[in-house]
Amino acid sequence: MFVSVVIAVVIVLIVITILVAVSAGKKNSASKLTKNATGAVSKKEQAMIIRDANRRLAKDPKDPEGLMAVGNVYFNNKLWEKAEPVYIQLTKVAVERAQVDAFQANQRAGICCFMNNKLKDALGYLIFAEKINPHDFECNYYLGQALYKNKAFDQAASCFKKALIAKQDAEGIYFQLGKALYSAHHYQESLPCLKKALDEDPANKEALFYMADAMNEQGAGEKAIKVLMHLRPDPVYGARSCLEAGMYHTKVGDTEGAIQDFEIGLKHENAEPEVRLELQYRLAAVFFGIGRIPDGLNLLKQIRMVNANYKDVNSLISRYQELSSNKNLQIYLTAGTSDFVALCRKVITNKYKGSYVKIQDINVGPLYTDIIAEIETDKWENTDLFRFFRTNGATGELYVRDFHGHLQDIKADKGYCLTAGTFTEEARKYTEGRPLDLIEKSELTKILKTING
């Protein structure tokens, strides 16, 4: 009897030992699954982890350890397309099971979506993760990237600033922050960041271009132009650098320099379409300014072939086509003061052919030019006042009233207002019963065509 009891006890102990060993084995296996998934493991071990995790997920698609294990392998190997659905699933499981790290699930889901160019989804997950842990480097870094791509430059800069606080020695963070500040037009604030980015990587042409343009915007054009000139031959940033350099040279009155900049820019075959259009537009404006109207028109027509509604190209083409067919109208609207005044004198003398015309006074102002002329014929003598407006817009009643007042002050007999544009209806009504004649563009153009050079 005693022997039977001893045997029974031994059997029970053996069974208990086996059960404990099996249970411990399962726990160790699960622990190993998670541990190996987060560390550096061989491809063979990774394959085992994925196989074991898939077995668990086959039984329970929401199994946290299985999801975290396979997710870690995919994420650490930058297999973003495979990792994305795993971490999206984990964001859902995190709501139900506390053992899942909700922050990591949303952070990694956001990073995967960003890497897969799913910007809207990336923003959603990363913003959620940032609310849980607003000081995490990777979360702020990738959220900043996503916001920058979404053109939310100020918000992106805020994220990069927090990322910089979390990890000041992170590679490339100063460049990302400087780029975001530059794009948000915080030029002065962007400069030290871009300088540090260049200290880290002197070959960073993008940072160099942003720094030059920021300096130009801050009024340091002389420093900026040196950098822009250096970048002109660059295959990536050369066209944009030429555009900025040309705009600077135009601003300071260096016409030859501006033409050279714009023409070099147009030689870059890989220039972005919008940059090429702007180069052509700016070069056309320079050509018009120096009287090279056919060259300017040719550029505008090239622009119109690409984008028929680009800025005011259509109206400029109409205007300069007319100018190209009427040399005197071209002088009237675009020539320097001396040539313009000389033409105005010819208009007056041409009006009184066969009469003696004496110019008594010429007053050149910013808005108009006044000329007083004394006219003598065999039958009568007059003192006439001429006012020449160079605008091609509409001239209103106030200017005509002012002209009439001046006419009375000098006791002139007759007044003529000429414009390359039009007069308003109110201005025309004001002349009724007064010794004033208004000559608009259509009539002025005919007059100018009758004048020889």
Side-chain angles (χ1 to χ4, degrees):
M1 179 70 178
F2 175 75
V3 175
S4 299
V5 171
V6 171
I7 292 171
V9 170
V10 170
I11 291 171
V12 170
L13 289 173
I14 291 171
V15 171
I16 291 172
T17 301
I18 292 170
L19 291 173
V20 169
V22 170
S23 176
K26 287 183 178 180
K27 288 182 180 179
N28 288 336
S29 176
S31 176
K32 182 179 180 182
L33 184 72
T34 304
K35 181 179 179 181
N36 283 350
T38 59
V41 294
S42 67
K43 290 184 178 180
K44 184 177 180 180
E45 290 175 310
Q46 290 179 16
M48 291 175 62
I49 292 169
I50 292 174
R51 185 177 64 248
D52 292 343
N54 285 335
R55 286 175 181 169
R56 299 174 69 95
L57 294 171
K59 295 178 182 178
D60 180 7
K62 295 183 179 180
D63 180 78
E65 291 192 14
L67 287 169
M68 287 187 287
V70 74
N72 274 323
V73 171
Y74 292 150
F75 190 87
N76 291 334
N77 284 279
K78 299 181 180 180
L79 301 172
W80 311 118
E81 290 186 2
K82 290 184 176 182
E84 180 190 319
V86 175
Y87 282 105
I88 289 176
Q89 177 74 329
L90 276 169
T91 63
K92 299 173 183 177
V93 174
V95 178
E96 304 170 358
R97 306 188 188 185
Q99 68 198 93
V100 176
D101 185 343
F103 167 75
Q104 187 188 70
N106 281 277
Q107 179 220 51
R108 291 193 170 187
I111 293 173
C112 291
C113 288
F114 176 78
M115 292 298 187
N116 292 328
N117 293 316
K118 297 178 180 178
L119 188 58
K120 184 177 179 181
D121 293 335
L123 285 169
Y125 290 117
L126 289 168
I127 289 172
F128 188 85
E130 192 269 342
K131 289 179 180 179
I132 299 173
N133 183 358
H135 307 295
D136 180 74
F137 170 80
E138 285 193 329
C139 183
N140 279 294
Y141 181 81
Y142 284 101
L143 179 55
Q145 293 267 43
L147 288 166
Y148 184 88
K149 280 196 170 184
N150 202 42
K151 300 188 184 301
F153 302 125
D154 280 308
Q155 292 173 276
S158 178
C159 288
F160 289 132
K161 286 178 181 178
K162 289 193 288 184
L164 186 60
I165 293 171
K167 197 174 181 180
Q168 293 187 6
D169 60 345
E171 185 177 351
I173 187 64
Y174 279 107
F175 173 59
Q176 297 298 336
L177 176 56
K179 183 168 68 170
L181 290 169
Y182 165 84
S183 300
H185 305 304
H186 303 310
Y187 300 115
Q188 187 172 356
E189 193 179 354
S190 73
L191 284 170
C193 297
L194 293 169
K195 187 178 184 305
K196 287 186 178 181
L198 284 166
D199 289 340
E200 291 178 359
D201 180 12
N204 189 335
K205 298 292 181 66
E206 188 176 5
L208 193 62
F209 173 79
Y210 292 148
M211 188 175 74
D213 193 38
M215 287 192 297
N216 192 26
E217 292 288 345
Q218 286 299 110
E222 291 184 4
K223 292 181 180 179
I225 197 65
K226 293 178 182 178
V227 180
L228 293 170
M229 297 292 279
H230 172 72
L231 284 171
R232 285 196 316 183
D234 186 78
V236 179
Y237 297 98
R240 293 174 66 186
S241 297
C242 287
L243 176 59
E244 294 297 329
M247 290 166 63
Y248 171 80
H249 283 135
T250 302
K251 183 179 178 182
V252 299
D254 184 358
T255 301
E256 289 185 9
I259 291 173
Q260 184 183 59
D261 293 327
F262 294 138
E263 288 183 337
I264 291 174
L266 289 170
K267 290 179 181 177
H268 284 278
E269 295 180 357
N270 59 342
E272 297 172 340
E274 62 272 19
V275 174
R276 179 171 294 279
L277 290 174
E278 191 65 13
L279 282 164
Q280 292 173 317
Y281 183 84
R282 296 277 180 172
L283 181 56
V286 176
F287 282 157
F288 291 142
I290 60 175
R292 292 175 57 178
I293 292 179
D295 293 329
L297 280 170
N298 182 49
L299 286 165
L300 292 183
K301 289 174 182 177
Q302 289 178 38
I303 293 172
R304 187 166 63 179
M305 289 177 65
V306 177
N307 184 346
N309 298 311
Y310 190 78
K311 294 188 175 182
D312 58 344
V313 162
N314 289 318
S315 62
L316 286 174
I317 289 175
S318 298
R319 179 187 180 190
Y320 283 101
Q321 278 181 333
E322 183 179 27
L323 291 181
S324 65
S325 64
N326 189 334
K327 183 68 175 178
N328 286 326
L329 182 60
Q330 180 181 332
I331 294 171
Y332 190 95
L333 285 171
T334 65
T337 301
S338 60
D339 289 338
F340 170 69
V341 171
L343 178 64
C344 293
R345 293 174 65 112
K346 289 179 181 178
V347 169
I348 296 171
T349 55
N350 190 67
K351 177 177 175 60
Y352 300 107
K353 283 182 179 179
S355 302
Y356 174 73
V357 178
K358 180 182 178 182
I359 302 299
Q360 291 185 335
D361 183 59
I362 298 174
N363 182 23
V364 180
L367 297 177
Y368 50 78
T369 293
D370 282 350
I371 298 179
I372 301 173
E374 185 178 300
I375 318 299
E376 293 184 12
T377 70
D378 294 336
K379 298 180 179 179
W380 53 265
E381 293 182 8
N382 262 3
T383 298
D384 292 349
L385 174 63
F386 291 81
R387 177 164 290 184
F388 296 88
F389 289 94
R390 300 189 78 177
T391 178
N392 55 5
T395 300
E397 178 188 352
L398 288 177
Y399 287 105
V400 178
R401 281 179 177 273
D402 176 77
F403 176 65
H404 183 244
H406 185 43
L407 182 77
Q408 291 177 319
D409 290 340
I410 65 173
K411 296 180 171 55
D413 298 294
K414 181 81 173 180
Y416 298 90
C417 262
L418 299 90
T419 178
T422 59
F423 290 97
T424 64
E425 184 64 30
E426 292 79 7
R428 286 193 288 270
K429 285 182 179 179
Y430 179 78
T431 63
E432 294 176 3
R434 294 182 172 90
L436 302 176
D437 278 358
L438 302 183
I439 300 174
E440 295 183 322
K441 181 182 177 181
S442 57
E443 187 178 351
L444 174 64
T445 301
K446 294 177 183 177
I447 291 171
L448 293 174
K449 284 183 177 180
T450 65
I451 297 173
N452 297 322

